[in-house]
Amino acid sequence: MHDLDDLYQEVIMDHNRRPRNFRRPEDANRKVEGFNPLCGDQLTLYLVVKDDLISDVGFQAVGCAISKASASMLTESVKGISVGDAEKVFAEFRSMITQEDFDPDVLGDAELLQGVSRYPARIKCATLSWHALNSALTDDEAHIVTTE
Ligand code: FES
């Protein structure tokens, strides 16, 4: 089990070191800022939504390793799928992090963050970008969400 934990840790740290989609897509038409007032970390999530499809997604962030890795994993999970499917991905992630039953197949690498649910202090780090996603899916006005 230790080897598996090490592997998970390695994948998470790789997402932190080389975050995927760490950019602002030029044609982004949805933008949500996420803010964790406990630590001051912040993140901006951008979506390009056309005809109900998330054709592109990116983020920029100043934050801890978990928050950056989680955002990186999020972008890979929702890029190229419909808004409705992205809502399901969000729901599965929320179930996972609150230790409820979840479908790992839709989460991609984000499944590797399951262990974070055992550390209440880090849950807000992992969920920061996901709250921003949920907000961006339901509202096309630019705005700010916080983890509080
Ligand atoms: Fe601030 Fe993780 S310590 S989001």
Side-chain angles (χ1 to χ4, degrees), residues 10-24 43-44 57-76 79 109:
E10 188 52 42
V11 176
I12 291 167
M13 294 320 289
D14 182 63
H15 275 275
N16 173 50
R17 280 192 301 266
R18 298 185 307 113
R20 320 309 192 250
N21 303 299
F22 193 77
R23 60 192 167 77
R24 177 194 174 126
L43 161 156
T44 307
V57 53
F59 78 104
Q60 294 172 319
V62 180
C64 68
I66 296 280
S67 69
K68 249 164 93 179
S70 184
S72 172
M73 293 167 168
L74 175 157
T75 64
E76 290 196 317
K79 192 169 176 178
D109 280 356

Side-chain angles (χ1 to χ4, degrees), residues 5-144:
D5 283 347
D6 288 348
L7 175 66
Y8 289 0
Q9 192 74 16
E10 188 52 42
V11 176
I12 291 167
M13 294 320 289
D14 182 63
H15 275 275
N16 173 50
R17 280 192 301 266
R18 298 185 307 113
R20 320 309 192 250
N21 303 299
F22 193 77
R23 60 192 167 77
R24 177 194 174 126
E26 267 182 27
D27 48 349
N29 56 3
R30 299 201 186 182
K31 170 187 168 187
V32 174
E33 292 180 28
F35 179 60
N36 184 346
L38 289 180
C39 60
D41 287 348
Q42 56 191 53
L43 161 156
T44 307
L45 183 71
Y46 303 98
L47 300 184
V48 181
V49 179
K50 286 186 187 141
D51 299 330
D52 205 44
L53 184 80
I54 302 172
S55 59
D56 201 3
V57 53
F59 78 104
Q60 294 172 319
V62 180
C64 68
I66 296 280
S67 69
K68 249 164 93 179
S70 184
S72 172
M73 293 167 168
L74 175 157
T75 64
E76 290 196 317
S77 298
V78 302
K79 192 169 176 178
I81 67 175
S82 71
V83 168
D85 284 345
E87 286 170 345
K88 287 182 198 144
V89 174
F90 168 75
E92 296 300 332
F93 186 85
R94 185 176 51 192
S95 294
M96 177 183 81
I97 224 75
T98 54
Q99 300 188 334
E100 293 169 16
D101 288 341
F102 70 98
D103 178 1
D105 291 343
V106 303
L107 290 178
D109 280 356
E111 180 201 355
L112 303 182
L113 291 168
Q114 185 177 8
V116 170
S117 64
R118 296 195 302 268
Y119 304 95
R122 305 316 302 269
I123 288 176
K124 288 182 178 175
C125 307
T127 56
L128 181 61
S129 56
W130 293 83
H131 285 305
L133 171 70
N134 187 42
S135 184
L137 292 175
T138 54
D139 190 351
D140 57 9
E141 296 288 319
H143 49 284
I144 300 174

